[in-house]
């Protein structure tokens, strides 16, 4: 995970087509590694890995100042306009082994649009997919990343107010993963300070899990 003065975190993005995964990945990396644009069909057709530049003096651990590098794997969404569920699973599993097989995965980010409801059927398919990819301990290594947070603000809501009116399906999912969630505004150019705030939340989730990694074979 780190050398003497640097920490590297490995993150996986997954979720439905057009949920904003690639844009969220770019926000986390502070770059434009992943193709993200309006399209009537699925934009991401294969897994790809993006790596951030070194962020100096990002955090402290055991009294020592650490720099940070972020590795983010973007994945095809499901349902997909041209790939079957089995093809998406095979592609993601192979990429996990290729990119994170030795160092392990720190956190999988389930990307959900904050401006769309999470229905029971969709939730069932999502959980089934993540269980098949990450195994029985998936809940310890998963957080929700809500995109299109600007729509929540436009509705006059903050995060707590949004969750107060959320469906039982979403609330039960959040409860199962110990209330780990983040809001990201895909429409804005993520400012450096906002990006650091998001990454610090992710680091805190990883810390709460004792810096464990999930090894995918």
């Amino acid at each position: 995970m780190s050398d003497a003065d640097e920490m590297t975190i490995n993150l996986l993005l997954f979720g439905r087509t057009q949920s904003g995964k690639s844009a969220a990945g770019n926000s986390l990396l502070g770059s434009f590694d992943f193709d993200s644009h309006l399209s009537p069909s699925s934009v991401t057709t294969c897994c790809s890995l993006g790596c951030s530049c070194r962020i100096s003096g990002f955090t402290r651990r055991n009294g020592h100042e650490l720099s940070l590098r972020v590795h983010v794997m973007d994945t095809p969404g499901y349902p997909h306009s041209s790939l079957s569920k089995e093809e998406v699973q095979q592609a993601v599993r192979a990429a996990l082994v290729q990119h994170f097989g030795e160092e392990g995965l720190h956190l999988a980010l389930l990307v959900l649009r904050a401006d769309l409801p999470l229905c029971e059927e969709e939730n069932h398919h999502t959980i089934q997919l993540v269980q098949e990819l990450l195994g029985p301990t998936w809940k310890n290594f998963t957080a929700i990343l809500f995109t299109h947070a600007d729509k929540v603000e436009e509705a006059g809501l903050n995060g707590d107010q949004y969750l107060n009116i959320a469906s039982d399906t979403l609330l039960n999912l959040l409860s199962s993963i110990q209330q780990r969630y983040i809001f990201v505004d895909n429409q804005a150019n993520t400012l450096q300070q906002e990006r650091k705030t998001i990454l610090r939340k992710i680091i805190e989730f990883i810390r709460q899990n004792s810096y464990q990694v999930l090894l995918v074979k």
Side-chain angles (χ1 to χ4, degrees):
M1 180 175 179
S2 63
D3 57 24
D5 62 350
E6 184 174 291
M7 174 187 297
T8 298
I9 57 173
N10 297 329
L11 308 175
L12 167 72
L13 296 170
F14 70 101
R16 288 181 60 88
T17 291
Q18 302 290 358
S19 60
K21 295 186 303 299
S22 299
N26 288 334
S27 294
L28 293 171
L29 293 171
S31 66
F32 295 96
D33 286 39
F34 305 130
D35 187 16
S36 176
H37 60 267
L38 179 66
S39 174
S41 60
S42 302
V43 175
T44 304
T45 58
C46 61
C47 298
S48 58
L49 184 71
C51 303
S52 75
C53 296
R54 192 174 192 258
I55 308 172
S56 299
F58 182 82
T59 188
R60 298 182 69 84
R61 186 180 180 192
N62 298 329
H64 297 286
E65 187 175 89
L66 295 177
S67 298
L68 178 70
R69 288 189 191 273
V70 184
H71 294 172
V72 178
M73 193 171 84
D74 191 20
T75 65
Y78 179 79
H80 198 279
S81 60
S82 60
L83 300 175
S84 68
K85 177 183 177 182
E86 289 72 24
E87 288 173 324
V88 170
Q89 283 181 310
Q90 290 171 6
V92 175
R93 186 179 298 279
L96 279 170
V97 172
Q98 176 185 352
H99 297 302
F100 300 149
E102 292 185 7
E103 295 182 355
L105 174 70
H106 292 99
L107 195 66
L109 296 168
L110 169 57
V111 181
L112 298 177
R113 288 186 59 140
D115 59 339
L116 295 177
L118 178 65
C119 301
E120 183 61 38
E121 183 177 1
E122 176 188 350
N123 185 56
H124 172 75
H125 290 308
T126 298
I127 290 179
Q128 184 180 44
L129 181 63
V130 69
Q131 283 179 328
E132 291 171 356
L133 287 172
L134 304 183
T137 61
W138 69 272
K139 295 177 183 177
N140 298 330
F141 297 92
T142 301
I144 292 177
L145 191 152
F146 290 107
T147 59
H148 298 81
D150 54 304
K151 302 297 183 182
V152 177
E153 294 179 5
E154 288 175 10
L157 301 173
N158 60 32
D160 290 338
Q161 291 168 330
Y162 172 84
L163 293 176
N164 282 339
I165 59 173
S167 67
D168 288 342
T169 299
L170 177 56
L171 295 177
N172 289 336
L173 175 58
L174 281 168
S175 178
S176 72
I177 58 172
Q178 292 128 49
Q179 306 296 328
R180 291 188 293 264
Y181 64 88
I182 306 166
F183 285 92
V184 175
D185 180 359
N186 288 45
Q187 301 303 312
N189 293 321
T190 302
L191 300 175
Q192 189 70 12
Q193 188 55 47
E194 182 184 356
R195 177 186 173 223
K196 286 185 176 181
T197 299
I198 294 169
L199 288 174
R200 284 196 173 96
K201 289 181 180 178
I202 290 175
I203 292 290
E204 178 60 18
F205 296 154
I206 294 171
R207 186 196 66 78
Q208 290 171 358
N209 200 29
S210 303
Y211 298 97
Q212 295 181 81
V213 295
L214 180 66
L215 296 174
V216 181
K217 300 179 180 179

